């Protein structure tokens, strides 16, 4: 059984490692350069990581958009660790963090390939798909139970 420690990033070194892992999963396969994995909303966001043998194998970000409304983005599990329930555990922990922050609604933009993954967690599709980074995406939403 995989020993997985899910927790928030602790320091700048871990933050840098997390950006590397995020880039590896979400941007490198698209041929995008280092740096393309970040945006202007990193400060103040909750950065959750999944650690295994002191290596970051999973990560995701939660941030508050407005009172009660949260956004989840950059959900990434290293390819060799996918389909083992790690992404689901990461999302469950993020939802707990969101509850603790009094968020009522969570939104995300799902790649078409990940829709089923988010649906199983309870997210529902909102509106039509649109292209982002050349990949069809769809907005999804979850109402959090208190
Ligand atoms: C999408 C992603 C985050 C999901 O993470 P994951 O760890 O692979 O997700 P899980 O293992 O929890 O669930 C994935 C599938 O594995 C299955 N699964 C869950 N636990 C399992 C287990 N113990 N054994 C085998 N299969 C399992 C689930 O049924 C699920 O199937 P479904 O998605 O077809 O419903 C991950 O695959 C990823 O990083 N993909 C590339 C980047 C990406 O697309 N990110 C999303 C951007 S919106």
């Amino acid at each position: 059984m995989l020993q997985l420690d899910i927790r928030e990033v602790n320091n700048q070194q871990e933050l840098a490692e997390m950006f590397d892992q995020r880039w590896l999963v979400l941007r490198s396969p698209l041929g995008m350069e280092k740096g393309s994995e970040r945006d202007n909303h990193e400060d103040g966001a909750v950065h959750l990581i999944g650690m295994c043998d002191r290596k970051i194998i999973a990560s995701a970000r939660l941030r508050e958009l407005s009172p009660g409304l949260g956004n989840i983005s950059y959900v990434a599990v290293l390819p060799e660790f996918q389909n083992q329930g790690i992404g689901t555990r990461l999302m469950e922990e993020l939802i707990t963090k969101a509850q603790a922050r009094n968020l009522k609604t969570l939104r995300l933009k799902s790649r078409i390939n990940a829709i089923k993954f988010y649906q199983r967690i309870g997210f529902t599709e909102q509106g039509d798909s649109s292209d982002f980074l050349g990949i069809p995406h769809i907005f999804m939403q979850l109402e959090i139970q208190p």
Side-chain angles (χ1 to χ4, degrees):
M1 178 71 180
L2 187 92
Q3 274 296 328
L4 184 70
D5 178 24
I6 298 181
R7 59 170 174 79
E8 287 186 47
V9 159
N10 269 337
N11 53 50
Q12 288 301 313
Q13 192 191 328
E14 275 187 1
L15 190 66
E17 281 173 32
M18 186 208 68
F19 284 133
D20 282 348
Q21 185 267 353
R22 188 194 277 180
W23 174 79
L24 213 60
V25 178
L26 294 171
R27 293 294 182 267
S28 168
L30 305 180
M32 296 176 71
E33 289 178 4
K34 279 258 175 84
S36 61
E37 76 285 355
R38 335 176 171 196
D39 60 34
N40 294 329
H41 307 291
E42 306 295 349
D43 291 349
V46 176
H47 295 291
L48 215 59
I49 50 175
M51 302 280 294
C52 181
D53 287 340
R54 278 186 264 169
K55 179 178 167 171
I56 297 176
I57 63 167
S59 61
R61 186 181 82 180
L62 168 71
R63 69 186 181 97
E64 189 170 327
L65 296 177
S66 61
L69 179 63
N71 167 263
I72 288 177
S73 50
Y74 301 112
V75 183
V77 177
L78 287 180
E80 59 270 37
F81 292 97
Q82 291 174 8
N83 297 312
Q84 299 174 43
I86 294 169
T88 302
R89 284 177 60 188
L90 196 68
M91 289 296 294
E92 287 169 353
E93 191 59 35
L94 264 194
I95 291 167
T96 303
K97 298 263 178 210
Q99 279 168 328
R101 282 164 176 74
N102 266 331
L103 299 177
K104 309 287 178 220
T105 304
L106 290 179
R107 284 192 190 148
L108 57 81
K109 194 163 62 179
S110 172
R111 292 183 182 188
I112 247 34
N113 67 292
I115 289 176
K116 220 171 118 216
F117 165 74
Y118 293 118
Q119 276 176 340
R120 271 196 317 102
I121 294 162
F123 282 82
T124 53
E125 295 162 67
Q126 309 283 314
D128 300 323
S129 70
S130 57
D131 258 35
F132 177 61
L133 306 174
I135 302 171
H137 281 70
I138 193 148
F139 282 102
M140 299 186 81
Q141 188 164 309
L142 175 75
E143 301 304 331
I144 307 180
Q145 306 303 321

